[in-house]
Amino acid sequence: EVQLVQSGAEVKKPGESLRISCKGSGYSFTSYWISWVRQMPGKGLEWMGRIDPSDSYTNYSPSFQGHVTISADKSISTAYLQWSSLKASDTAMYYCARGRNWFDPWGQGTLVTVSS
Amino acid sequence: QSVLTQPPSVSEAPGQRVTISCTGSSSNIGAGYDVHWYQQLPGTAPKLLIYGNSNRPSGVPDRFSGSKSGTSASLAITGLQAEDEADYYCQSYDSSLSGSVFGGGTKLTVL
């Protein structure tokens, strides 16, 4: 079964750093891009960016460029999304999803709460 | 403001047919890029419903269908069931943004 399993919920303070993960299984991890998608409370889906795990090439939505970093470790079939300095406005559910054109499957989501 | 425009909500009675529109522009749908649709049930991750404008993944009922024309696409759901109550999102690629874009989402209520 093709699966993406994400790391657990996080509660952080403004200014702190964070890295969340997305582990793929049941397929060749380097054969498919991984995207990250944000969903703020009660809002819609926003594509943040993607990585090609075969060569770690990334591209970002202009809305997120410079605010987050996407990376991957193909040796352990895991993609990451990281922040160097969180803000309260980063509070959201974050999903990883597999695919170049369409996204399937999706991870279960990681809830990130940033509050002082 | 989303790059792809969807109606915020639609509603219809059980057994009826409903369509959800997704309107883009010349840099995304109108440029020939495919449209994909996702269903998000309350409290769950999105699930692929339609890919490549009109293709259903294995396991998706044929009550769901997609189409595309010009700068717009549509998702149709026939024989509405209570379990179809969810948020629906369209997605495509935008050449001016060099990345994927989503519609703002449509909340379907089955009356």
Side-chain angles (χ1 to χ4, degrees):
Chain A
E1 178 194 6
V2 176
Q3 239 184 335
L4 296 176
V5 177
Q6 298 184 228
S7 50
E10 302 274 2
V11 179
K12 291 289 189 179
K13 290 181 167 39
E16 291 185 333
S17 62
L18 174 65
R19 187 177 77 168
I20 62 176
S21 66
C22 168
K23 183 174 177 59
S25 62
Y27 73 100
S28 173
F29 187 69
T30 55
S31 295
Y32 295 84
W33 296 358
I34 294 286
S35 283
W36 286 94
V37 176
R38 183 176 78 174
Q39 188 167 39
M40 299 179 77
K43 302 299 184 182
L45 305 175
E46 302 173 89
W47 183 78
M48 302 175 71
R50 63 88 176 171
I51 187 164
D52 180 346
S54 67
D55 61 6
S56 288
Y57 179 79
T58 55
N59 76 287
Y60 297 87
S61 163
S63 298
F64 293 93
Q65 178 83 48
H67 297 289
V68 296
T69 301
I70 296 171
S71 60
D73 185 340
K74 60 186 179 183
S75 70
I76 55 172
S77 301
T78 301
Y80 301 98
L81 178 65
Q82 66 182 67
W83 296 259
S84 59
S85 181
L86 286 159
K87 304 174 184 178
S89 57
D90 292 317
T91 293
M93 181 71 83
Y94 293 88
Y95 295 101
C96 63
R98 185 190 79 158
R100 182 182 183 126
N101 297 312
W102 59 86
F103 304 137
D104 180 55
W106 294 59
Q108 84 276 19
T110 296
L111 180 62
V112 174
T113 303
V114 184
S115 173
S116 53
Chain B
Q1 198 78 323
S2 301
V3 172
L4 304 179
T5 301
Q6 299 179 232
S9 63
V10 295
S11 59
E12 190 51 88
Q16 298 303 302
R17 179 180 188 271
V18 70
T19 61
I20 298 172
S21 61
C22 174
T23 302
S25 67
S26 57
S27 61
N28 41 68
I29 300 174
Y33 294 107
D34 287 341
V35 177
H36 321 291
W37 292 89
Y38 303 88
Q39 178 193 58
Q40 186 176 33
L41 296 169
T44 69
K47 167 193 161 188
L48 179 67
L49 201 61
I50 298 287
Y51 68 95
N53 305 316
S54 58
N55 301 290
R56 283 186 310 276
S58 172
V60 173
D62 60 6
R63 300 186 297 106
F64 295 89
S65 63
S67 64
K68 173 189 158 186
S69 178
T71 58
S72 295
S74 289
L75 172 70
I77 310 171
T78 59
L80 272 174
Q81 301 178 4
E83 68 202 50
D84 298 333
E85 203 162 89
D87 293 324
Y88 293 84
Y89 295 90
C90 60
Q91 175 243 323
S92 187
Y93 178 86
D94 190 283
S95 58
S96 64
L97 298 173
S98 298
S100 291
V101 289
F102 285 99
T106 299
K107 182 175 182 58
L108 168 64
T109 299
V110 180
L111 300 171

